């Protein structure tokens, strides 16, 4: 890997933001974003706009992995290329739906946190552990519940689009799980790369996380308590080949927000 430009966010050195069109305002913190409560028309457009920005970042990360690790196994490079293609389709689908709802690109600020953390790492195993196995697994959890909220307001088109995106995300997490196991089988020291990568992610998260009492740029309260729960997508995590113990750990971390999923897990066990 060659040297890359960096930025410092609340004391943590991260990879500098990727290029974006001039229409976009790129920010670094949740407090600078325009998240709205509920499902009002501005909230709907901001959700789609933010998701579009995140998918664009995922495309950049997969493509950057191809550029930075040309000696990776060919089969893994094919998976990363497929992921880049999938993410490009997601961006276009979200952009079309955003426009259908009267929105436009650049209507709201975007961030590049996932890119800046993941592409700071100098090992492919570390990047797969952080981006695919952590960020995208979290996206699977989110997409497990989001379609329901869109259907509650009568928007079947957006709900169906998000379910299609979820199907691709499962594969992105699954191939990372498989390749990480293979890397560790070939060289157990790979585990140290994964641990170091996750520790770096934890430090970055701690630095940039909103503090209690903070509000964002449109007055929405940030930090704890935010009255939000995490619903672990148990079935998709199984499909993505997380172990049962890993799923239980995710449920414990999520707390009461996943009590129904936890009950379902117990019934199946």
């Amino acid at each position: 890997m060659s040297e890359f430009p960096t930025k410092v966010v609340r004391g943590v050195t991260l990879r500098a933001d990727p290029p974006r069109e001039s229409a976009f305002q790129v920010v670094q913190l949740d407090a600078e974003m325009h998240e709205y409560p509920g499902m009002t028309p501005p909230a709907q457009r901001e959700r789609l706009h933010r998701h579009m920005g995140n998918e664009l970042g995922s495309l950049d990360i997969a493509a950057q992995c191809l550029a930075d690790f040309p000696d990776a196994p060919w089969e893994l490079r094919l998976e990363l290329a497929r992921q880049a293609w999938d993410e490009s389709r997601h961006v276009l689908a979200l952009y079309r739906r955003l426009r259908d709802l009267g929105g436009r690109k650049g209507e709201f600020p975007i961030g590049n946190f996932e890119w800046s953390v993941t592409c700071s790492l100098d090992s492919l195993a570390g990047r797969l552990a952080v981006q695919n196995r952590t960020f995208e697994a979290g996206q699977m959890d989110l997409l497990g519940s989001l379609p329901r909220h869109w259907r509650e307001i009568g928007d079947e088109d957006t709900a169906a689009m998000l379910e299609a995106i979820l199907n691709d995300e499962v594969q992105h997490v699954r191939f990372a799980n498989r390749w990480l196991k293979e890397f560790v089988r070939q060289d157990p020291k790979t585990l140290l790369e994964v641990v170091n990568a996750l520790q770096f992610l934890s430090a970055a998260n701690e630095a940039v996380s909103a503090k209690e009492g903070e509000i964002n740029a449109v007055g929405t309260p940030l930090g704890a308590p935010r009255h939000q729960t995490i619903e672990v997508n148990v079935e998709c995590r199984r499909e993505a080949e997380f172990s049962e113990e890993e799923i239980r750990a995710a449920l414990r971390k999520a707390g009461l927000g996943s009590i129904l999923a936890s009950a379902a897990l117990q019934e199946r066990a």
Side-chain angles (χ1 to χ4, degrees):
M1 286 178 55
S2 59
E3 291 296 320
F4 50 78
T6 62
K7 63 183 180 183
V8 178
V9 181
R10 286 186 172 173
V12 178
T13 300
L14 303 171
R15 190 159 185 160
D17 295 297
R20 290 289 179 262
E21 294 178 74
S22 59
F24 291 106
Q25 176 192 359
V26 177
V27 299
Q28 306 302 326
L29 302 171
D30 282 347
E32 300 170 290
M33 297 291 281
H34 287 193
E35 181 181 3
Y36 300 87
M39 290 291 283
T40 62
Q44 293 173 43
R45 297 197 306 274
E46 198 277 334
R47 284 171 182 248
L48 291 173
H49 192 278
R50 183 187 299 231
H51 196 164
M52 179 181 72
N54 289 340
E55 296 286 346
L56 183 57
S58 296
L59 164 58
D60 286 334
I61 292 167
Q64 193 65 50
C65 286
L66 288 170
D68 288 345
F69 302 100
D71 296 328
W74 179 247
E75 294 82 1
L76 175 53
R77 289 177 60 79
L78 285 177
E79 292 282 13
L80 289 165
R82 171 187 168 175
Q83 181 179 357
W85 165 238
D86 288 343
E87 308 295 12
S88 70
R89 290 188 293 102
H90 299 170
V91 172
L92 289 173
L94 287 157
Y95 180 46
R96 286 193 295 265
R97 192 66 194 135
L98 175 67
R99 293 185 65 182
D100 289 343
L101 296 183
R104 58 178 175 80
K105 65 181 178 183
E107 183 176 2
F108 308 98
I110 61 171
N112 295 306
F113 181 71
E114 293 183 12
W115 156 274
S116 294
V117 172
T118 304
C119 291
S120 294
L121 301 168
D122 61 5
S123 79
L124 183 52
R127 291 193 189 181
L128 292 175
V130 167
Q131 175 60 20
N132 297 60
R133 204 172 187 272
T134 303
F135 286 135
E136 299 226 8
Q139 185 76 352
M140 281 195 321
D141 293 338
L142 184 62
L143 287 171
S145 60
L146 275 184
R148 179 177 72 248
H149 300 311
W150 287 93
R151 287 194 171 97
E152 287 172 354
I153 62 170
D155 191 339
E156 176 63 31
D157 289 341
T158 300
M161 175 193 66
L162 294 175
E163 287 171 340
I165 291 174
L166 173 59
N167 289 334
D168 288 337
E169 303 295 5
V170 171
Q171 170 58 18
H172 302 164
V173 180
R174 181 166 51 222
F175 84 72
N177 272 330
R178 289 176 176 176
W179 277 101
L180 284 170
K181 290 174 184 176
E182 176 62 18
F183 286 160
V184 172
R185 186 191 68 79
Q186 293 179 9
D187 183 1
K189 293 193 296 294
T190 302
L191 279 174
L192 292 177
E193 297 176 355
V194 171
V195 169
N196 289 337
L198 294 176
Q199 288 177 338
F200 179 72
L201 169 61
S202 179
N205 267 327
E206 178 64 24
V208 306
S209 291
K211 311 305 178 186
E212 185 171 356
E214 279 191 271
I215 61 173
N216 71 8
V218 294
T220 303
L222 302 175
R226 296 190 61 187
H227 307 292
Q228 294 182 356
T229 57
I230 301 171
E231 298 182 27
V232 175
N233 192 336
V234 171
E235 290 307 313
C236 282
R237 280 182 177 258
R238 281 200 180 104
E239 290 179 28
E241 300 183 7
F242 283 98
S243 70
E244 293 299 303
E245 180 51 40
E246 287 172 327
I247 294 172
R248 292 179 190 278
L251 288 165
R252 288 193 295 269
K253 183 176 180 180
L256 293 178
S258 286
I259 191 168
L260 294 179
S262 181
L265 181 63
Q266 295 293 338
E267 288 179 4
R268 178 164 175 171

